mmCIF file of all heavy atoms in Angstrom:
data_model
loop_
_atom_site.group_PDB
_atom_site.id
_atom_site.type_symbol
_atom_site.label_atom_id
_atom_site.label_comp_id
_atom_site.label_asym_id
_atom_site.label_seq_id
_atom_site.Cartn_x
_atom_site.Cartn_y
_atom_site.Cartn_z
ATOM 1 N N LEU X 1 -4.281 -19.874 9.530
ATOM 2 C CA LEU X 1 -4.306 -20.918 10.783
ATOM 3 C C LEU X 1 -5.696 -21.552 10.807
ATOM 4 O O LEU X 1 -5.851 -22.628 11.356
ATOM 5 C CB LEU X 1 -4.046 -20.100 11.969
ATOM 6 C CG LEU X 1 -2.583 -19.602 12.077
ATOM 7 C CD1 LEU X 1 -2.391 -18.868 13.331
ATOM 8 C CD2 LEU X 1 -1.597 -20.772 11.986
ATOM 9 N N TRP X 2 -6.759 -20.798 10.501
ATOM 10 C CA TRP X 2 -8.145 -21.410 10.525
ATOM 11 C C TRP X 2 -8.266 -22.658 9.555
ATOM 12 O O TRP X 2 -8.968 -23.608 9.896
ATOM 13 C CB TRP X 2 -9.247 -20.347 10.284
ATOM 14 C CG TRP X 2 -10.610 -20.791 10.494
ATOM 15 C CD1 TRP X 2 -11.487 -21.362 9.630
ATOM 16 C CD2 TRP X 2 -11.240 -20.813 11.696
ATOM 17 N NE1 TRP X 2 -12.561 -21.576 10.214
ATOM 18 C CE2 TRP X 2 -12.584 -21.350 11.517
ATOM 19 C CE3 TRP X 2 -10.922 -20.423 12.964
ATOM 20 C CZ2 TRP X 2 -13.575 -21.453 12.604
ATOM 21 C CZ3 TRP X 2 -11.967 -20.385 13.977
ATOM 22 C CH2 TRP X 2 -13.187 -20.967 13.779
ATOM 23 N N GLY X 3 -7.517 -22.494 8.475
ATOM 24 C CA GLY X 3 -7.583 -23.613 7.415
ATOM 25 C C GLY X 3 -6.473 -24.693 7.780
ATOM 26 O O GLY X 3 -6.176 -25.509 6.820
ATOM 27 N N TYR X 4 -5.883 -24.723 8.948
ATOM 28 C CA TYR X 4 -4.889 -25.692 9.436
ATOM 29 C C TYR X 4 -3.600 -25.620 8.489
ATOM 30 O O TYR X 4 -3.143 -26.745 8.245
ATOM 31 C CB TYR X 4 -5.519 -27.036 9.509
ATOM 32 C CG TYR X 4 -6.693 -27.176 10.465
ATOM 33 C CD1 TYR X 4 -7.967 -27.325 10.018
ATOM 34 C CD2 TYR X 4 -6.420 -27.164 11.866
ATOM 35 C CE1 TYR X 4 -8.916 -27.279 10.892
ATOM 36 C CE2 TYR X 4 -7.378 -27.183 12.723
ATOM 37 C CZ TYR X 4 -8.742 -27.270 12.253
ATOM 38 O OH TYR X 4 -9.723 -27.344 13.213
ATOM 39 N N ALA X 5 -3.195 -24.536 8.081
ATOM 40 C CA ALA X 5 -2.018 -24.382 7.293
ATOM 41 C C ALA X 5 -0.848 -24.501 8.302
ATOM 42 O O ALA X 5 -0.915 -24.051 9.468
ATOM 43 C CB ALA X 5 -1.965 -23.068 6.651
ATOM 44 N N PRO X 6 0.390 -24.940 7.768
ATOM 45 C CA PRO X 6 1.524 -24.926 8.680
ATOM 46 C C PRO X 6 1.842 -23.538 9.112
ATOM 47 O O PRO X 6 1.639 -22.634 8.400
ATOM 48 C CB PRO X 6 2.617 -25.535 7.823
ATOM 49 C CG PRO X 6 2.001 -26.183 6.651
ATOM 50 C CD PRO X 6 0.660 -25.531 6.522
ATOM 51 N N LEU X 7 2.517 -23.432 10.222
ATOM 52 C CA LEU X 7 2.855 -22.147 10.866
ATOM 53 C C LEU X 7 3.826 -21.441 10.033
ATOM 54 O O LEU X 7 3.665 -20.136 9.884
ATOM 55 C CB LEU X 7 3.391 -22.335 12.314
ATOM 56 C CG LEU X 7 3.683 -20.947 13.071
ATOM 57 C CD1 LEU X 7 2.478 -20.101 13.249
ATOM 58 C CD2 LEU X 7 4.237 -21.265 14.510
ATOM 59 N N GLU X 8 4.837 -22.048 9.476
ATOM 60 C CA GLU X 8 5.844 -21.359 8.553
ATOM 61 C C GLU X 8 5.135 -20.772 7.499
ATOM 62 O O GLU X 8 5.445 -19.587 7.111
ATOM 63 C CB GLU X 8 6.953 -22.376 8.256
ATOM 64 C CG GLU X 8 7.744 -22.818 9.415
ATOM 65 C CD GLU X 8 7.125 -24.083 10.069
ATOM 66 O OE1 GLU X 8 6.159 -24.610 9.513
ATOM 67 O OE2 GLU X 8 7.478 -24.416 11.213
ATOM 68 N N ARG X 9 4.294 -21.441 6.760
ATOM 69 C CA ARG X 9 3.718 -20.994 5.585
ATOM 70 C C ARG X 9 2.706 -19.810 5.889
ATOM 71 O O ARG X 9 2.745 -18.797 5.223
ATOM 72 C CB ARG X 9 2.880 -21.974 4.841
ATOM 73 C CG ARG X 9 2.018 -21.603 3.692
ATOM 74 C CD ARG X 9 1.311 -22.795 3.096
ATOM 75 N NE ARG X 9 0.589 -22.204 1.880
ATOM 76 C CZ ARG X 9 -0.788 -22.235 1.882
ATOM 77 N NH1 ARG X 9 -1.434 -22.571 2.912
ATOM 78 N NH2 ARG X 9 -1.390 -21.723 0.877
ATOM 79 N N SER X 10 2.078 -19.948 7.128
ATOM 80 C CA SER X 10 1.143 -18.797 7.475
ATOM 81 C C SER X 10 1.892 -17.531 7.775
ATOM 82 O O SER X 10 1.466 -16.518 7.392
ATOM 83 C CB SER X 10 0.387 -19.334 8.704
ATOM 84 O OG SER X 10 -0.389 -20.410 8.390
ATOM 85 N N LEU X 11 3.035 -17.708 8.355
ATOM 86 C CA LEU X 11 3.860 -16.483 8.783
ATOM 87 C C LEU X 11 4.394 -15.871 7.475
ATOM 88 O O LEU X 11 4.494 -14.647 7.309
ATOM 89 C CB LEU X 11 5.037 -16.872 9.748
ATOM 90 C CG LEU X 11 4.610 -17.224 11.115
ATOM 91 C CD1 LEU X 11 5.819 -17.611 11.912
ATOM 92 C CD2 LEU X 11 3.823 -16.043 11.655
ATOM 93 N N VAL X 12 4.808 -16.634 6.434
ATOM 94 C CA VAL X 12 5.432 -16.133 5.244
ATOM 95 C C VAL X 12 4.194 -15.376 4.503
ATOM 96 O O VAL X 12 4.352 -14.231 4.039
ATOM 97 C CB VAL X 12 5.988 -17.258 4.364
ATOM 98 C CG1 VAL X 12 6.184 -16.770 2.948
ATOM 99 C CG2 VAL X 12 7.263 -17.762 4.938
ATOM 100 N N VAL X 13 3.128 -16.063 4.347
ATOM 101 C CA VAL X 13 2.007 -15.430 3.726
ATOM 102 C C VAL X 13 1.532 -14.080 4.451
ATOM 103 O O VAL X 13 1.362 -13.108 3.754
ATOM 104 C CB VAL X 13 0.832 -16.382 3.604
ATOM 105 C CG1 VAL X 13 -0.445 -15.626 3.144
ATOM 106 C CG2 VAL X 13 1.124 -17.517 2.656
ATOM 107 N N THR X 14 1.574 -14.086 5.762
ATOM 108 C CA THR X 14 1.147 -12.883 6.517
ATOM 109 C C THR X 14 2.138 -11.686 6.248
ATOM 110 O O THR X 14 1.651 -10.764 6.164
ATOM 111 C CB THR X 14 1.125 -13.389 8.050
ATOM 112 O OG1 THR X 14 0.100 -14.321 8.210
ATOM 113 C CG2 THR X 14 0.782 -12.159 8.927
ATOM 114 N N ILE X 15 3.410 -12.048 6.377
ATOM 115 C CA ILE X 15 4.440 -11.001 6.110
ATOM 116 C C ILE X 15 4.318 -10.543 4.791
ATOM 117 O O ILE X 15 4.361 -9.178 4.520
ATOM 118 C CB ILE X 15 5.803 -11.494 6.461
ATOM 119 C CG1 ILE X 15 6.071 -11.803 8.029
ATOM 120 C CG2 ILE X 15 6.894 -10.575 6.056
ATOM 121 C CD1 ILE X 15 7.123 -12.573 8.306
ATOM 122 N N GLY X 16 4.142 -11.367 3.769
ATOM 123 C CA GLY X 16 4.087 -10.905 2.384
ATOM 124 C C GLY X 16 2.738 -9.939 2.168
ATOM 125 O O GLY X 16 2.805 -8.974 1.536
ATOM 126 N N ALA X 17 1.598 -10.488 2.818
ATOM 127 C CA ALA X 17 0.424 -9.765 2.628
ATOM 128 C C ALA X 17 0.491 -8.386 3.296
ATOM 129 O O ALA X 17 0.063 -7.283 2.740
ATOM 130 C CB ALA X 17 -0.762 -10.613 3.159
ATOM 131 N N GLY X 18 1.081 -8.321 4.487
ATOM 132 C CA GLY X 18 1.280 -6.962 5.220
ATOM 133 C C GLY X 18 2.075 -6.083 4.418
ATOM 134 O O GLY X 18 1.857 -4.851 4.415
ATOM 135 N N THR X 19 3.195 -6.549 3.835
ATOM 136 C CA THR X 19 4.126 -5.719 3.129
ATOM 137 C C THR X 19 3.451 -5.258 1.828
ATOM 138 O O THR X 19 3.562 -4.023 1.506
ATOM 139 C CB THR X 19 5.329 -6.511 2.692
ATOM 140 O OG1 THR X 19 5.909 -7.016 3.935
ATOM 141 C CG2 THR X 19 6.265 -5.654 1.952
ATOM 142 N N VAL X 20 2.594 -6.105 1.117
ATOM 143 C CA VAL X 20 1.926 -5.539 -0.142
ATOM 144 C C VAL X 20 0.977 -4.569 0.253
ATOM 145 O O VAL X 20 0.825 -3.518 -0.396
ATOM 146 C CB VAL X 20 1.354 -6.739 -0.834
ATOM 147 C CG1 VAL X 20 0.361 -6.448 -1.850
ATOM 148 C CG2 VAL X 20 2.441 -7.699 -1.478
ATOM 149 N N VAL X 21 0.196 -4.765 1.386
ATOM 150 C CA VAL X 21 -0.918 -3.813 1.593
ATOM 151 C C VAL X 21 -0.228 -2.531 2.099
ATOM 152 O O VAL X 21 -0.765 -1.438 1.685
ATOM 153 C CB VAL X 21 -1.717 -4.359 2.797
ATOM 154 C CG1 VAL X 21 -2.644 -3.306 3.373
ATOM 155 C CG2 VAL X 21 -2.627 -5.509 2.243
ATOM 156 N N TYR X 22 0.766 -2.562 2.798
ATOM 157 C CA TYR X 22 1.499 -1.344 3.214
ATOM 158 C C TYR X 22 2.048 -0.529 2.040
ATOM 159 O O TYR X 22 1.910 0.643 1.878
ATOM 160 C CB TYR X 22 2.679 -1.683 4.131
ATOM 161 C CG TYR X 22 3.400 -0.508 4.731
ATOM 162 C CD1 TYR X 22 2.833 0.223 5.666
ATOM 163 C CD2 TYR X 22 4.663 -0.166 4.381
ATOM 164 C CE1 TYR X 22 3.410 1.332 6.256
ATOM 165 C CE2 TYR X 22 5.318 0.918 4.841
ATOM 166 C CZ TYR X 22 4.723 1.662 5.798
ATOM 167 O OH TYR X 22 5.352 2.688 6.270
ATOM 168 N N SER X 23 2.647 -1.363 1.012
ATOM 169 C CA SER X 23 3.134 -0.633 -0.201
ATOM 170 C C SER X 23 2.226 0.005 -0.977
ATOM 171 O O SER X 23 2.272 1.057 -1.484
ATOM 172 C CB SER X 23 3.977 -1.668 -1.010
ATOM 173 O OG SER X 23 5.034 -2.256 -0.235
ATOM 174 N N VAL X 24 0.968 -0.674 -1.171
ATOM 175 C CA VAL X 24 -0.106 -0.109 -1.990
ATOM 176 C C VAL X 24 -0.637 1.022 -1.277
ATOM 177 O O VAL X 24 -0.978 1.990 -1.979
ATOM 178 C CB VAL X 24 -1.209 -1.303 -2.120
ATOM 179 C CG1 VAL X 24 -2.485 -0.630 -2.773
ATOM 180 C CG2 VAL X 24 -0.745 -2.299 -3.142
ATOM 181 N N LEU X 25 -0.935 0.983 0.079
ATOM 182 C CA LEU X 25 -1.274 2.244 0.681
ATOM 183 C C LEU X 25 -0.392 3.414 0.632
ATOM 184 O O LEU X 25 -0.752 4.531 0.461
ATOM 185 C CB LEU X 25 -1.691 1.853 2.120
ATOM 186 C CG LEU X 25 -2.945 0.957 2.424
ATOM 187 C CD1 LEU X 25 -2.958 0.552 3.899
ATOM 188 C CD2 LEU X 25 -4.121 1.683 1.932
ATOM 189 N N LEU X 26 0.967 3.174 0.730
ATOM 190 C CA LEU X 26 1.891 4.216 0.554
ATOM 191 C C LEU X 26 1.830 4.853 -0.803
ATOM 192 O O LEU X 26 1.969 6.126 -1.000
ATOM 193 C CB LEU X 26 3.357 3.712 0.886
ATOM 194 C CG LEU X 26 3.704 3.598 2.301
ATOM 195 C CD1 LEU X 26 5.122 3.184 2.453
ATOM 196 C CD2 LEU X 26 3.399 4.953 3.122
ATOM 197 N N VAL X 27 1.825 3.973 -1.844
ATOM 198 C CA VAL X 27 1.788 4.476 -3.191
ATOM 199 C C VAL X 27 0.451 5.329 -3.395
ATOM 200 O O VAL X 27 0.382 6.448 -3.992
ATOM 201 C CB VAL X 27 1.874 3.395 -4.283
ATOM 202 C CG1 VAL X 27 1.529 3.835 -5.668
ATOM 203 C CG2 VAL X 27 3.256 2.755 -4.158
ATOM 204 N N GLY X 28 -0.707 4.876 -2.968
ATOM 205 C CA GLY X 28 -1.901 5.603 -3.030
ATOM 206 C C GLY X 28 -1.911 6.894 -2.232
ATOM 207 O O GLY X 28 -2.414 7.871 -2.812
ATOM 208 N N GLN X 29 -1.334 6.969 -1.163
ATOM 209 C CA GLN X 29 -1.113 8.139 -0.371
ATOM 210 C C GLN X 29 -0.278 9.138 -1.222
ATOM 211 O O GLN X 29 -0.648 10.315 -1.285
ATOM 212 C CB GLN X 29 -0.489 7.901 0.971
ATOM 213 C CG GLN X 29 -0.255 9.110 1.754
ATOM 214 C CD GLN X 29 0.364 8.844 3.063
ATOM 215 O OE1 GLN X 29 0.707 7.655 3.354
ATOM 216 N NE2 GLN X 29 0.699 9.863 3.862
ATOM 217 N N ALA X 30 0.830 8.671 -1.797
ATOM 218 C CA ALA X 30 1.648 9.611 -2.599
ATOM 219 C C ALA X 30 0.899 10.139 -3.847
ATOM 220 O O ALA X 30 1.093 11.345 -4.092
ATOM 221 C CB ALA X 30 2.870 8.741 -2.979
ATOM 222 N N VAL X 31 0.191 9.302 -4.402
ATOM 223 C CA VAL X 31 -0.698 9.747 -5.559
ATOM 224 C C VAL X 31 -1.721 10.775 -5.131
ATOM 225 O O VAL X 31 -1.874 11.857 -5.877
ATOM 226 C CB VAL X 31 -1.368 8.497 -6.278
ATOM 227 C CG1 VAL X 31 -2.360 8.927 -7.330
ATOM 228 C CG2 VAL X 31 -0.274 7.708 -7.008
ATOM 229 N N VAL X 32 -2.419 10.544 -4.148
ATOM 230 C CA VAL X 32 -3.375 11.392 -3.620
ATOM 231 C C VAL X 32 -2.689 12.837 -3.167
ATOM 232 O O VAL X 32 -3.170 13.942 -3.470
ATOM 233 C CB VAL X 32 -4.252 10.966 -2.427
ATOM 234 C CG1 VAL X 32 -5.002 12.005 -1.821
ATOM 235 C CG2 VAL X 32 -5.020 9.770 -2.934
ATOM 236 N N ARG X 33 -1.621 12.674 -2.606
ATOM 237 C CA ARG X 33 -0.787 13.939 -2.167
ATOM 238 C C ARG X 33 -0.500 14.719 -3.398
ATOM 239 O O ARG X 33 -0.584 15.940 -3.355
ATOM 240 C CB ARG X 33 0.264 13.603 -1.202
ATOM 241 C CG ARG X 33 0.933 14.756 -0.660
ATOM 242 C CD ARG X 33 1.894 14.369 0.400
ATOM 243 N NE ARG X 33 1.203 13.654 1.525
ATOM 244 C CZ ARG X 33 1.893 13.474 2.638
ATOM 245 N NH1 ARG X 33 3.097 13.708 2.855
ATOM 246 N NH2 ARG X 33 1.178 12.940 3.675
ATOM 247 N N TYR X 34 0.033 14.089 -4.401
ATOM 248 C CA TYR X 34 0.345 14.709 -5.690
ATOM 249 C C TYR X 34 -0.804 15.315 -6.365
ATOM 250 O O TYR X 34 -0.652 16.519 -6.825
ATOM 251 C CB TYR X 34 1.100 13.686 -6.621
ATOM 252 C CG TYR X 34 1.409 14.308 -7.978
ATOM 253 C CD1 TYR X 34 2.456 15.136 -8.157
ATOM 254 C CD2 TYR X 34 0.593 14.031 -9.040
ATOM 255 C CE1 TYR X 34 2.752 15.729 -9.340
ATOM 256 C CE2 TYR X 34 0.942 14.579 -10.224
ATOM 257 C CZ TYR X 34 2.050 15.365 -10.415
ATOM 258 O OH TYR X 34 2.190 15.948 -11.683
ATOM 259 N N VAL X 35 -1.909 14.739 -6.432
ATOM 260 C CA VAL X 35 -3.090 15.218 -7.088
ATOM 261 C C VAL X 35 -3.560 16.495 -6.361
ATOM 262 O O VAL X 35 -3.912 17.425 -7.003
ATOM 263 C CB VAL X 35 -4.151 14.143 -7.174
ATOM 264 C CG1 VAL X 35 -5.426 14.820 -7.656
ATOM 265 C CG2 VAL X 35 -3.734 13.098 -8.160
ATOM 266 N N ILE X 36 -3.690 16.334 -5.068
ATOM 267 C CA ILE X 36 -4.055 17.510 -4.278
ATOM 268 C C ILE X 36 -3.213 18.697 -4.409
ATOM 269 O O ILE X 36 -3.556 19.888 -4.499
ATOM 270 C CB ILE X 36 -4.190 17.013 -2.724
ATOM 271 C CG1 ILE X 36 -5.492 16.184 -2.704
ATOM 272 C CG2 ILE X 36 -4.381 18.421 -1.947
ATOM 273 C CD1 ILE X 36 -5.557 15.540 -1.170
ATOM 274 N N THR X 37 -1.811 18.465 -4.365
ATOM 275 C CA THR X 37 -0.730 19.554 -4.631
ATOM 276 C C THR X 37 -0.935 20.119 -5.937
ATOM 277 O O THR X 37 -0.794 21.389 -6.100
ATOM 278 C CB THR X 37 0.562 18.909 -4.315
ATOM 279 O OG1 THR X 37 0.661 18.386 -3.031
ATOM 280 C CG2 THR X 37 1.570 20.181 -4.399
ATOM 281 N N ALA X 38 -1.199 19.364 -7.050
ATOM 282 C CA ALA X 38 -1.201 19.882 -8.378
ATOM 283 C C ALA X 38 -2.559 20.701 -8.531
ATOM 284 O O ALA X 38 -2.576 21.708 -9.295
ATOM 285 C CB ALA X 38 -1.151 18.725 -9.331
ATOM 286 N N ALA X 39 -3.653 20.296 -7.852
ATOM 287 C CA ALA X 39 -4.909 21.038 -8.006
ATOM 288 C C ALA X 39 -4.789 22.218 -7.248
ATOM 289 O O ALA X 39 -5.412 23.277 -7.550
ATOM 290 C CB ALA X 39 -5.997 20.107 -7.411
ATOM 291 N N ALA X 40 -4.052 22.268 -6.170
ATOM 292 C CA ALA X 40 -3.855 23.547 -5.338
ATOM 293 C C ALA X 40 -3.078 24.672 -5.929
ATOM 294 O O ALA X 40 -3.187 25.736 -5.575
ATOM 295 C CB ALA X 40 -3.324 23.296 -3.928
ATOM 296 N N ALA X 41 -2.288 24.238 -6.892
ATOM 297 C CA ALA X 41 -1.315 25.257 -7.617
ATOM 298 C C ALA X 41 -1.663 25.260 -9.193
ATOM 299 O O ALA X 41 -0.934 24.674 -9.879
ATOM 300 C CB ALA X 41 0.132 24.778 -7.322
ATOM 301 N N PRO X 42 -2.749 25.981 -9.444
ATOM 302 C CA PRO X 42 -3.063 25.993 -10.881
ATOM 303 C C PRO X 42 -2.168 26.989 -11.644
ATOM 304 O O PRO X 42 -2.315 27.022 -12.892
ATOM 305 C CB PRO X 42 -4.517 26.577 -10.831
ATOM 306 C CG PRO X 42 -4.612 27.320 -9.718
ATOM 307 C CD PRO X 42 -3.707 26.656 -8.638
ATOM 308 N N ASP X 43 -1.347 27.644 -11.126
ATOM 309 C CA ASP X 43 -0.405 28.646 -11.820
ATOM 310 C C ASP X 43 0.811 28.050 -12.400
ATOM 311 O O ASP X 43 1.651 28.682 -12.813
ATOM 312 C CB ASP X 43 -0.051 29.731 -10.883
ATOM 313 C CG ASP X 43 0.597 29.318 -9.642
ATOM 314 O OD1 ASP X 43 0.495 28.176 -9.263
ATOM 315 O OD2 ASP X 43 1.312 30.158 -9.047
ATOM 316 N N ILE X 44 0.859 26.565 -12.411
ATOM 317 C CA ILE X 44 1.967 25.962 -12.969
ATOM 318 C C ILE X 44 1.912 26.150 -14.403
ATOM 319 O O ILE X 44 0.890 25.908 -15.129
ATOM 320 C CB ILE X 44 1.941 24.493 -12.657
ATOM 321 C CG1 ILE X 44 2.036 24.195 -11.108
ATOM 322 C CG2 ILE X 44 2.938 23.701 -13.298
ATOM 323 C CD1 ILE X 44 1.859 22.840 -10.625
ATOM 324 N N ALA X 45 3.104 26.511 -15.027
ATOM 325 C CA ALA X 45 3.107 26.796 -16.399
ATOM 326 C C ALA X 45 2.976 25.569 -17.258
ATOM 327 O O ALA X 45 3.592 24.533 -16.959
ATOM 328 C CB ALA X 45 4.471 27.604 -16.771
ATOM 329 N N THR X 46 2.229 25.602 -18.248
ATOM 330 C CA THR X 46 2.140 24.471 -19.226
ATOM 331 C C THR X 46 2.785 24.730 -20.469
ATOM 332 O O THR X 46 3.240 25.860 -20.741
ATOM 333 C CB THR X 46 0.578 24.110 -19.453
ATOM 334 O OG1 THR X 46 0.026 25.345 -20.101
ATOM 335 C CG2 THR X 46 -0.149 23.807 -18.208
ATOM 336 N N ASP X 47 2.925 23.836 -21.344
ATOM 337 C CA ASP X 47 3.623 23.988 -22.601
ATOM 338 C C ASP X 47 2.962 24.994 -23.511
ATOM 339 O O ASP X 47 3.530 25.749 -24.290
ATOM 340 C CB ASP X 47 3.756 22.773 -23.358
ATOM 341 C CG ASP X 47 4.702 21.829 -22.622
ATOM 342 O OD1 ASP X 47 5.497 22.237 -21.751
ATOM 343 O OD2 ASP X 47 4.647 20.488 -22.795
#
């Protein structure tokens, strides 16, 4: 809006950016949770 973009375009970009940021944060949280869980259980059998 500071750059005088139309409102419709601004809302579409905003919704897209919010969704992408949310998705990236969820995937990062899942990866961190997996790494922490795997590090906490070293007795997992390997090949």
Side-chain angles (χ1 to χ4, degrees):
L1 292 177
W2 189 266
Y4 300 106
L7 182 61
E8 295 84 14
R9 178 176 178 250
S10 299
L11 291 176
V12 169
V13 169
T14 299
I15 292 170
T19 304
V20 168
V21 169
Y22 184 73
S23 301
V24 167
L25 289 174
L26 279 182
V27 169
Q29 178 183 357
V31 168
V32 168
R33 192 173 289 195
Y34 173 77
V35 168
I36 290 173
T37 305
D43 58 341
I44 296 175
T46 59
D47 292 338

